[in-house]
Coordinates of all heavy atoms in Angstrom, one line a residue:
M21 N -10.6 -13.8 -1.9 CA -10.2 -12.5 -1.5 C -9.3 -12.5 -0.3 O -8.8 -11.5 0.1 CB -11.4 -11.6 -1.3 CG -12.1 -11.2 -2.5 SD -11.2 -10.1 -3.6 CE -12.3 -9.9 -4.9
E22 N -9.1 -13.7 0.3 CA -8.2 -13.8 1.5 C -6.8 -13.3 1.2 O -6.2 -12.7 2.0 CB -8.2 -15.2 2.0 CG -7.4 -15.4 3.3 CD -7.8 -14.5 4.4 OE1 -9.0 -14.3 4.6 OE2 -6.9 -14.1 5.2
D23 N -6.3 -13.6 -0.1 CA -5.0 -13.1 -0.4 C -4.9 -11.6 -0.4 O -3.9 -11.0 0.0 CB -4.6 -13.6 -1.8 CG -4.4 -15.1 -1.8 OD1 -4.1 -15.7 -0.8 OD2 -4.4 -15.7 -2.9
L24 N -6.0 -10.9 -0.7 CA -6.0 -9.5 -0.7 C -6.0 -8.9 0.7 O -5.4 -7.9 1.0 CB -7.2 -8.9 -1.5 CG -7.1 -9.3 -3.0 CD1 -8.3 -8.7 -3.7 CD2 -5.8 -8.8 -3.6
K25 N -6.6 -9.7 1.6 CA -6.5 -9.3 3.1 C -5.0 -9.4 3.5 O -4.6 -8.6 4.3 CB -7.4 -10.2 3.9 CG -7.3 -10.1 5.4 CD -7.7 -8.8 5.9 CE -7.8 -8.8 7.4 NZ -6.7 -8.3 8.1
Q26 N -4.3 -10.4 3.0 CA -2.9 -10.5 3.3 C -2.1 -9.3 2.7 O -1.1 -9.0 3.4 CB -2.4 -11.8 2.7 CG -2.9 -13.1 3.4 CD -2.4 -14.4 2.7 OE1 -1.9 -14.3 1.6 NE2 -2.7 -15.5 3.4
L27 N -2.5 -8.8 1.6 CA -1.9 -7.6 1.1 C -2.0 -6.4 2.1 O -1.1 -5.7 2.4 CB -2.4 -7.2 -0.3 CG -1.9 -5.9 -0.9 CD1 -0.3 -6.0 -1.0 CD2 -2.5 -5.6 -2.2
Y28 N -3.2 -6.2 2.6 CA -3.5 -5.2 3.6 C -2.6 -5.5 4.8 O -1.9 -4.6 5.3 CB -5.0 -5.3 4.1 CG -5.4 -4.5 5.2 CD1 -5.9 -3.2 5.0 CD2 -5.3 -4.9 6.5 CE1 -6.2 -2.4 6.1 CE2 -5.6 -4.1 7.6 CZ -6.1 -2.9 7.4 OH -6.5 -2.1 8.5
D29 N -2.5 -6.7 5.3 CA -1.7 -7.1 6.5 C -0.2 -6.8 6.2 O 0.5 -6.4 7.1 CB -1.9 -8.5 6.9 CG -3.3 -8.7 7.4 OD1 -4.0 -7.8 7.9 OD2 -3.8 -9.9 7.4
A30 N 0.2 -7.1 5.0 CA 1.6 -6.9 4.6 C 2.0 -5.5 4.7 O 3.1 -5.1 5.2 CB 1.9 -7.5 3.3
V31 N 1.2 -4.6 4.1 CA 1.4 -3.2 4.2 C 1.4 -2.7 5.6 O 2.3 -1.9 6.1 CB 0.5 -2.4 3.3 CG1 0.6 -0.9 3.5 CG2 0.7 -2.8 1.8
L32 N 0.4 -3.1 6.3 CA 0.2 -2.7 7.7 C 1.5 -3.1 8.6 O 1.9 -2.3 9.4 CB -1.0 -3.3 8.3 CG -1.4 -2.9 9.7 CD1 -1.7 -1.4 9.8 CD2 -2.6 -3.7 10.2
S33 N 2.0 -4.3 8.3 CA 3.1 -4.8 9.1 C 4.5 -4.4 8.6 O 5.5 -4.6 9.2 CB 3.1 -6.3 9.3 OG 3.3 -6.9 8.0
G34 N 4.5 -3.8 7.4 CA 5.7 -3.3 6.8 C 6.5 -4.4 6.1 O 7.7 -4.3 5.9
D35 N 5.9 -5.4 5.6 CA 6.5 -6.5 5.0 C 6.5 -6.3 3.4 O 5.6 -6.7 2.7 CB 5.8 -7.8 5.3 CG 6.5 -9.1 4.8 OD1 7.5 -8.9 4.0 OD2 6.0 -10.2 5.1
A36 N 7.6 -5.6 3.0 CA 7.7 -5.2 1.6 C 7.8 -6.4 0.6 O 7.1 -6.4 -0.5 CB 8.9 -4.3 1.4
K37 N 8.5 -7.5 1.0 CA 8.6 -8.6 0.1 C 7.3 -9.3 -0.1 O 6.9 -9.6 -1.3 CB 9.6 -9.6 0.7 CG 11.0 -9.2 0.6 CD 12.0 -10.3 1.1 CE 13.4 -9.8 1.1 NZ 14.3 -10.8 1.6
T38 N 6.5 -9.5 0.9 CA 5.2 -10.1 0.8 C 4.2 -9.2 0.1 O 3.5 -9.6 -0.8 CB 4.6 -10.4 2.2 OG1 5.5 -11.3 2.8 CG2 3.3 -11.1 2.1
A39 N 4.3 -7.9 0.3 CA 3.4 -6.9 -0.4 C 3.7 -7.0 -1.9 O 2.7 -7.0 -2.7 CB 3.6 -5.5 0.2
R40 N 4.9 -7.0 -2.2 CA 5.3 -7.0 -3.7 C 4.8 -8.3 -4.3 O 4.2 -8.4 -5.4 CB 6.8 -6.8 -3.8 CG 7.2 -6.8 -5.3 CD 8.7 -6.5 -5.4 NE 9.1 -6.5 -6.8 CZ 9.0 -5.4 -7.6 NH1 8.6 -4.2 -7.1 NH2 9.4 -5.5 -8.9
A41 N 5.1 -9.5 -3.6 CA 4.7 -10.8 -4.1 C 3.2 -10.9 -4.3 O 2.7 -11.4 -5.3 CB 5.2 -11.9 -3.2
L42 N 2.4 -10.4 -3.3 CA 1.0 -10.5 -3.4 C 0.4 -9.6 -4.5 O -0.6 -9.9 -5.1 CB 0.4 -10.2 -2.0 CG 0.6 -11.2 -0.9 CD1 0.1 -10.7 0.4 CD2 -0.2 -12.5 -1.3
T43 N 1.1 -8.5 -4.6 CA 0.6 -7.5 -5.7 C 0.9 -8.2 -7.1 O 0.0 -8.1 -8.0 CB 1.4 -6.2 -5.6 OG1 1.1 -5.6 -4.3 CG2 1.0 -5.2 -6.7
E44 N 2.1 -8.8 -7.3 CA 2.3 -9.5 -8.5 C 1.3 -10.6 -8.8 O 0.8 -10.7 -9.9 CB 3.7 -10.1 -8.5 CG 4.9 -9.2 -8.6 CD 6.2 -9.8 -8.5 OE1 6.3 -10.9 -7.9 OE2 7.2 -9.2 -8.9
Q45 N 1.0 -11.4 -7.7 CA 0.0 -12.5 -7.9 C -1.3 -11.9 -8.2 O -2.0 -12.4 -9.1 CB -0.1 -13.2 -6.5 CG 0.6 -14.5 -6.4 CD 0.3 -15.1 -5.0 OE1 0.0 -14.4 -4.0 NE2 0.3 -16.4 -4.9
S46 N -1.8 -10.9 -7.6 CA -3.1 -10.3 -7.8 C -3.2 -9.7 -9.2 O -4.2 -9.9 -9.9 CB -3.4 -9.2 -6.8 OG -3.4 -9.7 -5.5
L47 N -2.1 -9.0 -9.7 CA -2.2 -8.4 -11.0 C -2.2 -9.5 -12.1 O -2.9 -9.4 -13.1 CB -1.0 -7.5 -11.2 CG -1.0 -6.2 -10.3 CD1 0.3 -5.5 -10.5 CD2 -2.2 -5.3 -10.7
A48 N -1.4 -10.6 -11.8 CA -1.4 -11.7 -12.7 C -2.8 -12.4 -12.8 O -3.2 -13.0 -13.8 CB -0.3 -12.7 -12.3
G49 N -3.5 -12.4 -11.7 CA -4.8 -12.9 -11.6 C -5.9 -12.1 -12.2 O -7.1 -12.4 -12.2
G50 N -5.5 -10.9 -12.7 CA -6.5 -10.0 -13.3 C -7.2 -9.0 -12.4 O -8.2 -8.4 -12.8
I51 N -6.7 -8.8 -11.2 CA -7.3 -7.8 -10.3 C -7.0 -6.4 -10.8 O -5.8 -6.2 -11.2 CB -6.8 -8.0 -8.8 CG1 -7.1 -9.4 -8.3 CG2 -7.4 -7.0 -7.9 CD1 -8.5 -9.8 -8.1
D52 N -7.9 -5.5 -10.8 CA -7.7 -4.2 -11.2 C -6.7 -3.5 -10.3 O -6.9 -3.6 -9.0 CB -9.0 -3.4 -11.2 CG -8.9 -2.0 -11.6 OD1 -8.3 -1.7 -12.7 OD2 -9.4 -1.1 -10.9
P53 N -5.7 -2.8 -10.8 CA -4.7 -2.2 -9.9 C -5.3 -1.2 -9.0 O -4.9 -1.1 -7.8 CB -3.7 -1.5 -10.9 CG -3.9 -2.2 -12.2 CD -5.3 -2.7 -12.2
L54 N -6.3 -0.4 -9.4 CA -6.9 0.6 -8.6 C -7.6 0.0 -7.4 O -7.7 0.6 -6.3 CB -7.8 1.5 -9.4 CG -7.1 2.6 -10.1 CD1 -8.1 3.5 -10.9 CD2 -6.2 3.5 -9.2
T55 N -8.2 -1.2 -7.6 CA -8.8 -1.9 -6.6 C -7.9 -2.3 -5.5 O -8.2 -2.1 -4.3 CB -9.5 -3.2 -7.1 OG1 -10.5 -2.9 -8.1 CG2 -10.1 -4.0 -6.0
L56 N -6.7 -2.7 -5.8 CA -5.6 -3.0 -4.9 C -5.3 -1.8 -4.0 O -5.2 -1.8 -2.8 CB -4.4 -3.5 -5.5 CG -4.5 -4.9 -6.3 CD1 -3.2 -5.2 -7.0 CD2 -4.9 -6.0 -5.3
V57 N -5.1 -0.6 -4.7 CA -4.7 0.6 -4.1 C -5.9 1.1 -3.2 O -5.6 1.4 -2.0 CB -4.3 1.7 -5.1 CG1 -4.1 3.0 -4.4 CG2 -3.1 1.2 -5.8
N58 N -7.0 1.2 -3.7 CA -8.1 1.9 -3.0 C -8.8 1.0 -1.9 O -9.3 1.6 -1.0 CB -9.2 2.3 -4.0 CG -8.7 3.4 -4.9 OD1 -7.9 4.2 -4.6 ND2 -9.3 3.5 -6.1
Q59 N -8.8 -0.3 -2.1 CA -9.5 -1.1 -1.1 C -8.6 -1.8 -0.1 O -9.1 -2.3 0.9 CB -10.4 -2.1 -1.9 CG -11.5 -1.5 -2.6 CD -12.4 -2.5 -3.3 OE1 -12.3 -3.7 -3.1 NE2 -13.3 -2.0 -4.1
Y60 N -7.3 -1.9 -0.4 CA -6.4 -2.6 0.5 C -5.2 -1.8 0.9 O -5.0 -1.8 2.1 CB -6.0 -4.0 -0.2 CG -7.2 -4.8 -0.5 CD1 -7.8 -4.8 -1.7 CD2 -7.8 -5.6 0.5 CE1 -8.9 -5.6 -2.0 CE2 -8.9 -6.4 0.3 CZ -9.5 -6.4 -0.9 OH -10.6 -7.1 -1.2
M61 N -4.5 -1.3 0.0 CA -3.3 -0.6 0.4 C -3.5 0.8 1.1 O -2.9 1.0 2.1 CB -2.4 -0.4 -0.8 CG -1.9 -1.8 -1.3 SD -1.2 -1.9 -3.0 CE -0.4 -0.4 -3.2
S62 N -4.4 1.6 0.5 CA -4.7 2.9 1.2 C -5.3 2.7 2.6 O -4.9 3.4 3.5 CB -5.5 3.7 0.3 OG -4.8 4.2 -0.8
P63 N -6.3 1.8 2.7 CA -6.8 1.6 4.1 C -5.8 1.1 5.0 O -5.8 1.4 6.2 CB -7.9 0.5 3.8 CG -8.4 0.7 2.4 CD -7.1 1.1 1.7
A64 N -4.8 0.3 4.6 CA -3.7 -0.2 5.5 C -2.9 1.0 5.9 O -2.6 1.1 7.1 CB -2.9 -1.2 4.8
M65 N -2.6 1.9 5.0 CA -1.8 3.1 5.4 C -2.7 4.1 6.3 O -2.1 4.7 7.2 CB -1.3 3.9 4.1 CG -0.2 3.1 3.4 SD 1.2 2.7 4.4 CE 1.9 4.3 4.8
D66 N -4.0 4.1 6.1 CA -4.8 4.9 7.0 C -4.7 4.3 8.4 O -4.7 5.1 9.4 CB -6.3 4.8 6.5 CG -6.5 5.7 5.3 OD1 -5.7 6.6 5.0 OD2 -7.6 5.5 4.6
E67 N -4.7 3.0 8.5 CA -4.6 2.3 9.8 C -3.2 2.6 10.4 O -3.1 2.8 11.6 CB -4.9 0.8 9.7 CG -4.7 0.1 11.0 CD -5.6 0.5 12.1 OE1 -6.7 1.2 11.9 OE2 -5.4 0.1 13.3
V68 N -2.2 2.6 9.6 CA -0.8 2.9 10.1 C -0.8 4.4 10.7 O -0.3 4.6 11.8 CB 0.2 2.8 9.0 CG1 1.5 3.4 9.4 CG2 0.4 1.4 8.6
G69 N -1.5 5.3 10.0 CA -1.6 6.7 10.4 C -2.3 6.8 11.8 O -1.9 7.5 12.7
R70 N -3.4 6.0 11.9 CA -4.2 6.0 13.1 C -3.3 5.5 14.3 O -3.3 6.1 15.3 CB -5.5 5.2 13.0 CG -6.4 5.3 14.2 CD -7.3 4.1 14.3 NE -6.7 2.8 14.5 CZ -6.2 2.4 15.7 NH1 -6.2 3.3 16.8 NH2 -5.6 1.2 15.9
R71 N -2.6 4.4 14.0 CA -1.8 3.8 15.1 C -0.6 4.8 15.4 O -0.3 4.8 16.6 CB -1.2 2.5 14.6 CG -2.3 1.4 14.5 CD -1.7 0.1 14.1 NE -2.8 -0.9 14.0 CZ -2.6 -2.2 13.8 NH1 -1.3 -2.7 13.7 NH2 -3.6 -3.1 13.7
F72 N -0.1 5.5 14.5 CA 0.9 6.4 14.7 C 0.4 7.6 15.6 O 1.1 8.0 16.6 CB 1.5 7.0 13.4 CG 2.6 8.0 13.6 CD1 3.9 7.6 14.0 CD2 2.4 9.3 13.4 CE1 4.9 8.5 14.2 CE2 3.4 10.2 13.6 CZ 4.7 9.8 13.9
E73 N -0.8 8.1 15.3 CA -1.4 9.1 16.1 C -1.7 8.7 17.5 O -1.7 9.4 18.5 CB -2.6 9.7 15.4 CG -2.3 10.5 14.2 CD -3.6 10.9 13.5 OE1 -4.7 10.5 13.9 OE2 -3.5 11.6 12.4
A74 N -2.0 7.4 17.7 CA -2.3 6.8 19.0 C -1.1 6.3 19.7 O -1.2 5.7 20.8 CB -3.3 5.7 18.8
N75 N 0.1 6.6 19.2 CA 1.3 6.2 19.8 C 1.5 4.7 19.9 O 2.1 4.2 20.8 CB 1.6 6.8 21.2 CG 1.8 8.3 21.0 OD1 2.4 8.8 20.1 ND2 1.3 9.1 22.0
E76 N 0.8 4.0 19.0 CA 0.9 2.5 18.9 C 2.0 2.1 17.9 O 2.7 1.1 18.1 CB -0.4 1.9 18.5 CG -1.5 2.1 19.5 CD -2.8 1.6 19.0 OE1 -2.9 0.9 18.0 OE2 -3.8 1.9 19.6
Y77 N 2.2 3.0 16.9 CA 3.3 2.8 16.0 C 4.2 4.1 16.1 O 3.8 5.1 16.5 CB 2.8 2.8 14.5 CG 2.4 1.5 14.0 CD1 2.2 0.4 14.8 CD2 2.4 1.3 12.6 CE1 1.8 -0.9 14.2 CE2 2.1 0.1 12.0 CZ 1.8 -1.0 12.8 OH 1.5 -2.2 12.3
F78 N 5.5 3.9 15.8 CA 6.4 5.0 15.8 C 7.1 5.1 14.5 O 6.7 4.4 13.5 CB 7.4 4.7 17.0 CG 6.8 4.6 18.3 CD1 6.5 3.4 18.9 CD2 6.4 5.8 19.0 CE1 5.8 3.3 20.1 CE2 5.8 5.7 20.2 CZ 5.5 4.5 20.8
V79 N 8.0 6.0 14.3 CA 8.6 6.3 13.0 C 9.1 5.1 12.3 O 8.9 4.9 11.1 CB 9.6 7.5 13.1 CG1 10.4 7.7 11.8 CG2 9.0 8.8 13.6
P80 N 9.8 4.2 13.0 CA 10.3 3.0 12.2 C 9.2 2.2 11.6 O 9.3 1.8 10.4 CB 11.1 2.2 13.3 CG 11.5 3.2 14.3 CD 10.4 4.2 14.3
E81 N 8.1 1.9 12.3 CA 7.0 1.2 11.8 C 6.3 1.9 10.6 O 5.9 1.3 9.6 CB 6.0 0.9 12.9 CG 6.4 -0.1 13.9 CD 7.1 0.6 15.1 OE1 7.2 1.8 15.1 OE2 7.5 -0.2 16.0
L82 N 6.2 3.2 10.8 CA 5.7 4.1 9.7 C 6.5 4.0 8.5 O 5.9 3.8 7.4 CB 5.7 5.5 10.2 CG 4.9 6.6 9.5 CD1 3.4 6.4 9.7 CD2 5.3 8.0 9.9
L83 N 7.8 4.0 8.6 CA 8.7 3.9 7.4 C 8.6 2.5 6.8 O 8.6 2.4 5.5 CB 10.1 4.3 7.8 CG 10.3 5.8 8.1 CD1 11.8 6.0 8.6 CD2 10.0 6.7 7.0
L84 N 8.6 1.5 7.6 CA 8.5 0.1 7.0 C 7.2 0.0 6.2 O 7.2 -0.6 5.2 CB 8.6 -0.9 8.2 CG 9.9 -1.1 8.8 CD1 9.8 -2.0 10.0 CD2 10.9 -1.7 7.8
S85 N 6.1 0.5 6.8 CA 4.8 0.4 6.0 C 4.9 1.2 4.7 O 4.4 0.7 3.7 CB 3.7 0.9 6.9 OG 3.5 0.0 8.0
A86 N 5.5 2.3 4.8 CA 5.6 3.2 3.6 C 6.4 2.4 2.5 O 6.1 2.5 1.3 CB 6.2 4.5 3.9
R87 N 7.5 1.8 2.9 CA 8.3 1.0 2.0 C 7.6 -0.2 1.4 O 7.7 -0.5 0.2 CB 9.6 0.5 2.7 CG 10.6 1.6 2.9 CD 11.9 1.2 3.5 NE 12.7 2.3 3.9 CZ 13.5 2.4 4.9 NH1 13.6 1.4 5.7 NH2 14.2 3.5 5.1
A88 N 6.7 -0.8 2.2 CA 5.9 -1.9 1.7 C 4.9 -1.4 0.7 O 4.7 -2.0 -0.4 CB 5.2 -2.6 2.8
M89 N 4.3 -0.3 0.9 CA 3.4 0.3 0.0 C 4.1 0.7 -1.3 O 3.6 0.4 -2.4 CB 2.7 1.5 0.6 CG 1.7 2.2 -0.3 SD 0.1 2.2 0.3 CE -0.7 3.2 -0.9
K90 N 5.3 1.3 -1.2 CA 6.1 1.7 -2.3 C 6.4 0.5 -3.2 O 6.4 0.5 -4.4 CB 7.3 2.5 -1.9 CG 8.1 3.0 -3.1 CD 9.3 3.7 -2.7 CE 10.1 4.3 -3.8 NZ 10.3 3.4 -5.0
A91 N 6.8 -0.6 -2.6 CA 7.2 -1.8 -3.3 C 6.0 -2.3 -4.1 O 6.2 -2.7 -5.3 CB 7.6 -2.9 -2.3
A92 N 4.8 -2.3 -3.6 CA 3.6 -2.7 -4.4 C 3.3 -1.6 -5.4 O 3.0 -2.0 -6.6 CB 2.4 -2.8 -3.4
L93 N 3.4 -0.4 -5.1 CA 3.1 0.7 -6.1 C 4.1 0.7 -7.3 O 3.7 1.1 -8.4 CB 3.1 2.0 -5.4 CG 1.8 2.3 -4.6 CD1 2.0 3.7 -3.9 CD2 0.6 2.3 -5.4
D94 N 5.3 0.3 -7.1 CA 6.3 0.2 -8.1 C 5.8 -0.7 -9.3 O 6.1 -0.5 -10.4 CB 7.6 -0.3 -7.6 CG 8.4 0.8 -6.9 OD1 8.0 2.0 -7.0 OD2 9.3 0.4 -6.2
L95 N 5.0 -1.7 -8.9 CA 4.4 -2.6 -9.9 C 3.1 -2.1 -10.5 O 2.8 -2.3 -11.7 CB 4.1 -4.0 -9.2 CG 5.2 -4.8 -8.7 CD1 4.7 -6.0 -7.9 CD2 6.1 -5.2 -9.8
I96 N 2.4 -1.3 -9.7 CA 1.1 -0.8 -10.2 C 1.2 0.5 -11.1 O 0.5 0.6 -12.0 CB 0.2 -0.5 -9.0 CG1 -0.2 -1.9 -8.3 CG2 -1.0 0.3 -9.3 CD1 -0.9 -1.7 -7.0
R97 N 2.1 1.3 -10.7 CA 2.3 2.6 -11.4 C 2.4 2.5 -12.9 O 1.7 3.1 -13.7 CB 3.4 3.4 -10.8 CG 3.5 4.9 -11.3 CD 4.5 5.7 -10.5 NE 4.1 5.8 -9.2 CZ 4.8 5.4 -8.1 NH1 5.9 4.7 -8.3 NH2 4.4 5.6 -6.9
P98 N 3.3 1.6 -13.4 CA 3.4 1.5 -14.9 C 2.1 1.0 -15.6 O 1.8 1.4 -16.7 CB 4.5 0.4 -15.1 CG 5.3 0.4 -13.8 CD 4.3 0.8 -12.7
L99 N 1.4 0.1 -14.9 CA 0.1 -0.4 -15.4 C -0.9 0.8 -15.6 O -1.6 0.8 -16.6 CB -0.4 -1.5 -14.6 CG 0.4 -2.8 -14.5 CD1 -0.2 -3.7 -13.5 CD2 0.6 -3.4 -15.8
L100 N -1.0 1.6 -14.6 CA -1.9 2.7 -14.6 C -1.5 3.7 -15.7 O -2.3 4.3 -16.4 CB -2.0 3.4 -13.3 CG -2.5 2.6 -12.1 CD1 -2.5 3.4 -10.8 CD2 -3.9 2.1 -12.4
T101 N -0.2 4.0 -15.9 CA 0.3 4.9 -16.9 C 0.0 4.3 -18.3 O -0.4 5.0 -19.2 CB 1.8 5.1 -16.7 OG1 2.1 5.6 -15.4 CG2 2.3 6.0 -17.8
A102 N 0.2 3.0 -18.5 CA 0.0 2.3 -19.7 C -1.5 2.4 -20.2 O -1.7 2.5 -21.4 CB 0.5 0.9 -19.7
R103 N -2.4 2.4 -19.2 CA -3.8 2.4 -19.6 C -4.3 3.8 -19.7 O -5.5 4.0 -19.9 CB -4.6 1.5 -18.7 CG -4.9 2.0 -17.3 CD -5.7 1.0 -16.6 NE -6.3 1.5 -15.4 CZ -7.0 0.9 -14.5 NH1 -7.2 -0.4 -14.7 NH2 -7.4 1.5 -13.4
G104 N -3.5 4.8 -19.4 CA -3.9 6.2 -19.6 C -4.4 6.9 -18.4 O -4.9 8.0 -18.5
D105 N -4.3 6.3 -17.2 CA -4.8 7.0 -16.0 C -3.8 8.1 -15.7 O -2.5 7.9 -15.7 CB -4.8 6.0 -14.9 CG -6.0 5.0 -15.0 OD1 -6.9 5.3 -15.8 OD2 -6.1 4.1 -14.2
E106 N -4.3 9.2 -15.4 CA -3.4 10.4 -15.1 C -3.6 10.7 -13.6 O -4.6 10.5 -13.0 CB -3.9 11.6 -15.9 CG -3.7 11.5 -17.4 CD -2.3 11.5 -17.8 OE1 -1.5 12.2 -17.1 OE2 -1.9 10.8 -18.7
P107 N -2.5 11.2 -13.0 CA -2.6 11.6 -11.6 C -3.6 12.7 -11.4 O -3.7 13.6 -12.3 CB -1.2 12.0 -11.2 CG -0.3 11.7 -12.4 CD -1.2 11.4 -13.5
V108 N -4.2 12.7 -10.3 CA -5.2 13.8 -10.0 C -4.5 15.1 -9.7 O -4.9 16.2 -10.0 CB -6.1 13.4 -8.8 CG1 -7.1 14.5 -8.5 CG2 -6.9 12.2 -9.2
G109 N -3.3 15.0 -9.0 CA -2.5 16.1 -8.6 C -1.3 15.7 -8.0 O -0.9 14.5 -7.9
R110 N -0.6 16.6 -7.4 CA 0.7 16.4 -6.7 C 0.6 17.0 -5.3 O 0.1 18.2 -5.2 CB 1.8 16.9 -7.5 CG 3.2 16.6 -6.9 CD 4.3 17.0 -7.9 NE 4.2 16.3 -9.1 CZ 5.1 15.4 -9.6 NH1 6.1 15.2 -8.8 NH2 4.9 14.8 -10.7
V111 N 1.0 16.3 -4.3 CA 1.0 16.9 -3.0 C 2.4 17.2 -2.6 O 3.3 16.4 -2.7 CB 0.4 15.9 -2.0 CG1 0.4 16.4 -0.6 CG2 -1.0 15.5 -2.4
V112 N 2.6 18.4 -2.0 CA 3.9 18.8 -1.5 C 3.7 19.2 0.0 O 2.8 19.9 0.3 CB 4.5 20.0 -2.2 CG1 5.8 20.5 -1.6 CG2 4.6 19.7 -3.7
I113 N 4.4 18.5 0.9 CA 4.3 18.8 2.3 C 5.6 19.4 2.8 O 6.7 18.8 2.5 CB 4.0 17.5 3.1 CG1 2.7 16.9 2.5 CG2 3.9 17.7 4.6 CD1 2.3 15.6 3.1
G114 N 5.5 20.4 3.5 CA 6.8 21.0 4.1 C 6.6 21.1 5.6 O 5.6 21.2 6.1
T115 N 7.8 21.0 6.2 CA 7.8 21.2 7.7 C 8.7 22.3 8.1 O 9.6 22.6 7.4 CB 8.2 19.9 8.4 OG1 9.5 19.5 7.9 CG2 7.3 18.7 8.1

């Protein structure tokens, strides 16, 4: 599971190439896509949010982490759709 800790770290640090590569590796190894999202990628983004609120991260770091998460989710989304998982809802945020 050390590789999955690296996925967390890649999203946290905004390393999109590594996040995508580790996601590909994990999916090829038979790891459930939702496990990757719920146990590694979402907690990494939670930590990014915490660091942003604490003024440890700023908008550039926030955007880099979001891009890393998106790179991994681009691989996961088709798999979830293919197996019939439906989105729970849609979130719209306005400022």
